[in-house]
Amino acid sequence: MTDSASGGGRRCTTAPHCHGYEVRGRELVVIGGAVPAVTLHQAALLRRYSDRVTLCPNGMDVSDAELARLRAFGVRIVDGAVTGLVGGESGLCGVELEDGGV
C-alpha cells in the first residue's frame, strides 16, 4: 500500500483504546489486517466513538455472520483491495481501492 497522504499518514492510528476519544465523531476506516479477529473487534469498538465507521476487509476472510454483526452495529463494509491512503495538508481523507475508487 502506498501512502499518498501528506505528512506520512497523519491521523492514521492503530490503537482505538488510546486514540478513539481523539477521533470521536469523525469518519473512521478500519483496514483488514493479518489478525482478522483484532480487525473485526476494532471495527465494532470504534462505533463507540463515531457513527461513521467503515471496514475495508482488504482480502481478509470475513464470515457472513461477522458481516451481519458489524452491519447491525452500523459499520459500513466496503470490499476491494486497499492500495493507498489519500490525503492533503489537513490529513487523511480517504482510502484508495485497487479499482480506483476512494
Side-chain angles (χ1 to χ4, degrees), residues 12-30:
C12 186
T13 64
T14 58
H17 290 290
C18 299
H19 300 286
Y21 183 79
E22 296 170 14
V23 296
R24 68 192 180 284
R26 297 183 185 172
E27 189 162 352
L28 306 173
V29 177
V30 177

Side-chain angles (χ1 to χ4, degrees), residues 3-12 87-92:
D3 179 1
S4 57
S6 174
R10 282 194 316 238
R11 301 284 183 200
C12 186
E89 290 301 316
S90 63
L92 293 174

Side-chain angles (χ1 to χ4, degrees), residues 57-73:
N58 196 33
M60 186 178 74
D61 288 330
V62 184
S63 71
D64 289 340
E66 283 294 340
L67 290 174
R69 183 178 74 86
L70 290 171
R71 286 186 177 113
F73 288 156

